[in-house]
Amino acid sequence: MIDFYAMGSPNVVKIYLALEELGLPYTVHPVDVFGGKQFDEAFRKLNPLAKVPVIVDRDGPDGKPYTVFESGAILLYLAEKTGKLLPADKAARFDAIQWMMVQMTTVGPMFGQYVHFMRFAPKGNDYALSRYLTQVHRVLETIEARLGKAHYLGGDEYSIADIATVPWARAIPTLLGAPAAQKYPKITAWVDKIAARPAAARAFAAADEVRGKVTGFDKAAPDTLDRVFGRGQFATA
Ligand SMILES: N[C@@H](CCC(=O)N[C@@H](CS)C(=O)NCC(=O)O)C(=O)O
């Protein structure tokens, strides 16, 4: 059994996708991030960064409970535990791992910063908005080209590279607008192909369910929002 500390954000949706695809039994523990619950001492013992997702595998290495934070590490852990979602062949395996790393280092952070400045920052940050939006398009153009040459991001097989990337990619029309989304037909087709997997449908539904159990970002208390974003009285620089 896996204890899964969750909310409905893209980094968390990755783990829903993996758990459902792998058919691993799990129990969801909603973490009310926009209620500030990630800062509770008990949760920080699971993740010193105070962020979801986190899993605790009650049947970890040597049969002992094992805690994993950071979504990329969790995906690698689950792939290794089950021998699935990563090819056995070494070159194919690292093809998938490097594309997963593109998500961890570029897709997630660039989309994350773009959304922050678009949705939460005060007006007058045009430089930041332009920079992050440009970086988002740069990586999407790269992924579009990759999907012109391969069925999945890692190559022939559905892998943790796809699982890591699809939660942001499916939000392209919402976040960037329909005209921008039309620039990426290969990405759109790949998102649709993944969304048609029964495990993905279950994962998206489960993420919708947990979203209903935590505070939405638009309902967060101003003080909590400042703490989450490290601004106002919580800014250290
Ligand atoms: N690099 C981390 C990022 C995790 C992350 O940013 N989690 C957000 C939700 S998507 C969070 O818990 N934020 C709470 C906070 O920063 O206080 C991962 O991939 O797991």
Side-chain angles (χ1 to χ4, degrees):
M1 174 61 72
I2 289 181
D3 290 294
F4 175 26
Y5 294 82
M7 66 182 285
S9 63
N11 285 315
V12 177
V13 173
K14 297 173 191 173
I15 311 307
Y16 275 111
L17 284 164
L19 290 169
E20 287 293 343
E21 192 70 35
L22 294 168
L24 290 169
Y26 63 96
T27 303
V28 174
H29 303 274
V31 180
D32 191 3
V33 162
F34 287 110
K37 296 295 180 205
Q38 71 277 31
F39 301 117
D40 288 358
E41 206 182 317
F43 185 74
R44 275 184 199 260
K45 283 196 178 124
L46 299 175
N47 183 355
L49 290 162
K51 289 175 191 287
V52 286
V54 177
I55 62 163
V56 181
D57 182 2
R58 294 188 203 173
D59 184 25
D62 303 321
K64 295 185 194 141
Y66 187 70
T67 303
V68 196
F69 56 83
E70 278 296 323
S71 59
I74 298 172
L75 292 178
L76 285 168
Y77 178 87
L78 295 175
E80 191 166 316
K81 179 181 173 77
T82 56
K84 294 180 182 160
L85 292 176
L86 269 181
D89 173 79
K90 202 157 187 176
R93 193 177 182 83
F94 275 88
D95 284 349
I97 289 173
Q98 63 190 282
W99 281 100
M100 186 193 76
M101 290 299 175
V102 170
Q103 194 291 321
M104 295 305 302
T105 59
T106 310
V107 174
M110 295 304 134
F111 259 103
Q113 293 304 319
Y114 171 64
V115 170
H116 180 84
F117 283 99
M118 184 254 286
R119 191 174 274 167
F120 299 107
K123 296 263 173 283
N125 285 288
D126 295 351
Y127 177 92
L129 261 175
S130 167
R131 165 164 166 75
Y132 290 120
L133 186 55
T134 299
Q135 297 303 316
V136 162
H137 282 296
R138 180 173 164 182
V139 74
L140 289 179
E141 282 158 16
T142 309
I143 290 174
E144 179 73 10
R146 169 67 178 164
L147 291 173
K149 293 190 205 125
H151 296 300
Y152 290 100
L153 276 177
D156 289 338
E157 292 175 28
Y158 182 57
S159 75
I160 57 174
D162 305 289
I163 285 179
T165 312
V166 82
W168 277 117
R170 71 196 277 262
I172 290 172
T174 312
L175 297 176
L176 307 186
Q182 278 166 16
K183 285 175 60 189
Y184 304 113
K186 299 267 186 315
I187 295 179
T188 304
W190 162 85
V191 168
D192 291 346
K193 182 168 67 176
I194 293 171
R197 297 175 82 89
R202 289 196 300 275
F204 295 144
D208 286 345
E209 193 183 318
V210 80
R211 248 175 241 125
K213 295 183 177 163
V214 295
T215 306
F217 69 82
D218 50 340
K219 302 275 183 325
D223 214 40
T224 308
L225 220 45
D226 283 352
R227 191 172 186 199
V228 172
F229 294 144
R231 65 188 189 189
Q233 62 165 311
F234 300 98
T236 52

